[in-house]
Amino acid sequence: MTDQGYPPHQGYLPQQGYLPQQGFLPQQQQFTVFNSLQPAPGTIVRTTQEQPKDYSVFATLVTIFCFPPAGIVAILCASRVGFLFSTGDIQGAEQASACAKLWSMISLGIGIILIVVVVVFGIKLMTARASVYNTVDNVAADIPAYGYYY
């Protein structure tokens, strides 16, 4: 059914002691404005974040087998990765991960250099000792076993 010929319904005025009912008095419209920040062009927004690699095993191994001073720094950096990630500092966790990797590589490099120097020095020392023993053996071979020279 349509209301043909009747004026549009404006509602009733509220009576004394009663609150106005909805739909009878024109109400002001309320608008909610959402301020949404859009990422800048070229910005990567990550919805799920994985913890950066902490390199703790690598740092521990190079501390034990290569160069302990740099390895200790690597272990300290590696231990910060999980803490920073759990507090929400993702950029700090990535920096700590890079720090742990860098100091582990430094420890590995210094350790390899030290091992090569020790091995080369050891080989030189053994060949020098061998040549001294050979010289002593040759001199002793020239002396007759029996008899004395006056």
Side-chain angles (χ1 to χ4, degrees):
M1 294 185 137
T2 60
D3 294 333
Q4 293 179 349
Y6 294 103
H9 180 66
Q10 295 295 326
Y12 298 101
L13 294 176
Q15 296 180 1
Q16 270 307 12
Y18 294 101
L19 296 174
Q21 297 180 2
Q22 286 209 6
F24 293 111
L25 287 179
Q27 305 241 346
Q28 292 181 349
Q29 293 182 354
Q30 295 179 358
F31 294 100
T32 304
V33 178
F34 293 101
N35 185 9
S36 63
L37 298 174
Q38 296 294 327
T43 302
I44 298 174
V45 178
R46 298 179 184 165
T47 55
T48 59
Q49 180 68 33
E50 291 183 17
Q51 179 176 336
K53 190 172 180 179
D54 61 358
Y55 298 100
S56 59
V57 173
F58 185 36
T60 304
L61 290 175
V62 296
T63 301
I64 294 170
F65 295 112
C66 293
F67 189 65
I72 290 171
V73 176
I75 289 173
L76 292 175
C77 290
S79 66
R80 294 185 59 207
V81 173
F83 172 74
L84 290 172
F85 184 77
S86 66
T87 59
D89 187 5
I90 296 170
Q91 184 178 7
E94 289 174 350
Q95 288 174 348
S97 174
C99 175
K101 182 179 180 182
L102 173 71
W103 282 102
S104 296
M105 295 300 280
I106 289 172
S107 179
L108 180 66
I110 293 173
I112 289 172
I113 290 170
L114 288 175
I115 290 169
V116 168
V117 166
V118 167
V119 167
V120 167
F121 182 73
I123 290 172
K124 293 268 189 188
L125 185 63
M126 288 189 326
T127 56
R129 283 186 177 176
S131 67
V132 168
Y133 290 134
N134 286 338
T135 305
V136 170
D137 289 341
N138 290 337
V139 170
D142 291 339
I143 300 174
Y146 303 105
Y148 295 98
Y149 294 98
Y150 291 103

